[in-house]
Amino acid sequence: VPETLARTTLGSWRAGTRINLEPALTPSTPLGGHFVLGHADGTCTVADVRTLGQGEGRELRLVIPEAFRHYFAYKGSVTLSGVSLTVAALEADGIRIAVIPHTLSETTLGGVKAGDTLNFEADVLAKYVERIATGRRGNGEGGLREGALREWGYAV
């Protein structure tokens, strides 16, 4: 559908494109990780990939569209191309993610390089907090109402 093609990398997939696919939880499945819905919010660009130490994984620096950056928090959740991860650092234009060797070998993230485009899903809990706190009906564009944090007593 147009919504999916506009917000994801699906339009660039060809026969043989590797993807990450995980079955949905059932009501009896224990939760042991991040809350992930599997709904891509958009795409982000891999700005840089660094190796971390001797076999300790990689760090990805990602440029996130401005309208979605406020959904990310240090040690919060993000899903990249179907892989749930933890935000290692916040940047002015995006985030940094540390990816452990196991995840690199078991997902498509092991082949990611600078310049690649990935699907992302922002933390669903942040989206619900925004919705409740602002009373926004929302249309997927992201963004707090101007001055909302100051009104709530937060120093910004």
Side-chain angles (χ1 to χ4, degrees):
V1 297
E3 169 77 4
T4 302
L5 292 173
R7 289 187 179 266
T8 70
T9 59
L10 180 63
S12 67
W13 295 1
R14 302 291 174 253
T17 297
R18 290 184 65 224
I19 62 169
N20 302 305
L21 186 61
E22 187 172 334
L25 293 176
T26 65
S28 63
T29 305
L31 294 175
H34 305 154
F35 290 101
V36 174
L37 300 181
H39 304 299
D41 289 311
T43 61
C44 60
T45 303
V46 179
D48 187 40
V49 178
R50 286 189 324 128
T51 299
L52 299 173
Q54 298 271 331
E56 296 176 22
R58 291 191 195 123
E59 180 183 73
L60 308 179
R61 189 169 71 80
L62 306 160
V63 176
I64 302 291
E66 185 175 1
F68 292 93
R69 290 180 197 152
H70 66 281
Y71 290 127
F72 296 92
Y74 174 66
K75 299 295 183 187
S77 301
V78 62
T79 302
L80 296 175
S81 294
V83 181
S84 180
L85 300 159
T86 302
V87 175
L90 300 173
E91 302 276 319
D93 63 351
I95 58 175
R96 290 184 183 266
I97 304 295
V99 186
I100 63 173
H102 177 78
T103 302
L104 292 170
S105 67
E106 296 296 319
T107 70
T108 61
L109 297 180
V112 168
K113 58 190 178 314
D116 285 352
T117 301
L118 304 176
N119 299 322
F120 75 88
E121 177 185 341
D123 188 334
V124 66
L125 299 178
K127 290 185 253 183
Y128 279 115
V129 167
E130 176 187 56
R131 169 74 170 97
I132 292 166
T134 64
R136 290 181 66 238
R137 293 191 185 266
N139 63 359
E141 296 304 317
L144 279 174
R145 180 173 42 80
E146 184 69 30
L149 292 177
R150 281 189 191 87
E151 289 173 19
W152 303 331
Y154 291 99
V156 290

